[in-house]
Amino acid sequence: MIREFINKHKPTILYGISLALLLFLLKWLELRFIIINHIFEIYAGAIALLFTGLGIWIAMKLTKPKVETVVIEREVLVEKKHFQFNEQQQAQLGLSKRELEVLNLIAEGLSNQEIAGQLFVSLNTIKTHSSKLFEKMEVKSRTQAVEKAKRLSLIP
Amino acid sequence: MIREFINKHKPTILYGISLALLLFLLKWLELRFIIINHIFEIYAGAIALLFTGLGIWIAMKLTKPKVETVVIEREVLVEKKHFQFNEQQQAQLGLSKRELEVLNLIAEGLSNQEIAGQLFVSLNTIKTHSSKLFEKMEVKSRTQAVEKAKRLSLIP
DNA sequence: GGTAAAATCACCCAAAAGTATGAGTTAATT
DNA sequence: AATTAACTCATACTTTTGGGTGATTTTACC
């Protein structure tokens, strides 16, 4: 408890003690001062220098260290999870929103009938979409479309 | 040139000027000192405090800020670069070498006819292979097979 | 040498996929 | 008001795919 307090306020205590000692020293020097009157400036200068040093020392002890944060990035191999959709490709191929939707469902392995059910449209509509999709993507089958779409980051 | 010198030794010059001013102040106070003799301790204390402050200020200005380095490790997700074939899955599903070959070609978007040409076998053979493949993989179409195969790391 | 798995192929049939064409509706743009 | 693009649907037709069955050959293993 007491030790902790001493440790915490060590600089302050030391400063106090130093000040007290200096004052005693001054008192003692005062006697001499009467005798050797003309060294007063030197005396004051000495005090100034001494306490400047003390100030520096205190500053060194007290200043909070600046915290510099170094972030080390460790690479961790992971399954593909991040997927950044390639809008440029979509624009370049001229794929519509609906076509992209169909493409995604095709990639999930759904049949045209299932896709039609999922999107609440007829089978023929899905066929039309996929046809146009294949035409735009310059492929001939759903499997090729999926393969190419993955390469072009149109689907995860 | 001169300006540069001044900038470089600014603290030193300021310290010198302060010291000079203080000495003038002391000289002036000295006259009063004769009259009011007993405030010498206060006077010396004042100098001490003042120069302690000056010292602290100098230290603040001159010393390089203490740097405490805190290392934070952050994990960065990196996509798997290379494909590691999952032999366990192949064994578990009981896929033969030929079936795996067909699976890969299917994943590349080839039709059964094209696969047959590539492997120098008949279309019927490829149909048999893909049929058994789908059966073993418990899927109903080539698209589903590709999707599942990628999930199971059977193909890149 | 016999057995089992793998690979090959054929035939048939049904379902799904894909092509071609035409057409109606809606929403956005000019 | 006219145009365009996107979305919708239908019909007809061809191709591909996938399931089922059966058979032959090759390869590997006990």
Side-chain angles (χ1 to χ4, degrees), chain B residues 27-80:
Chain B
K27 202 70 190 168
W28 176 74
L29 283 171
E30 198 179 350
L31 302 172
R32 312 210 114 210
F33 184 70
I34 297 161
I35 300 162
I36 312 157
N37 205 332
H38 288 293
I39 63 158
F40 174 72
E41 286 87 349
I42 295 169
Y43 170 59
I47 294 173
L49 283 174
L50 205 69
F51 277 85
T52 301
L54 184 66
I56 290 173
W57 179 77
I58 288 171
M60 296 281 203
K61 282 278 165 186
L62 289 183
T63 57
K64 289 172 193 162
K66 272 187 203 168
V67 175
E68 194 169 89
T69 306
V70 176
V71 175
I72 296 174
E73 291 200 0
R74 194 197 297 160
E75 295 190 345
V76 176
L77 301 183
V78 172
E79 189 180 338
K80 259 190 193 174

Side-chain angles (χ1 to χ4, degrees), chain B residues 96 98 121-122 125 129:
Chain B
S96 77
R98 203 56 157 172
V121 294
S122 81
T125 303
H129 283 319

Side-chain angles (χ1 to χ4, degrees), chain B residues 115-129:
Chain B
I115 295 173
Q118 189 131 352
L119 299 183
F120 301 104
V121 294
S122 81
L123 172 60
N124 284 315
T125 303
I126 300 303
K127 283 188 174 190
T128 309
H129 283 319

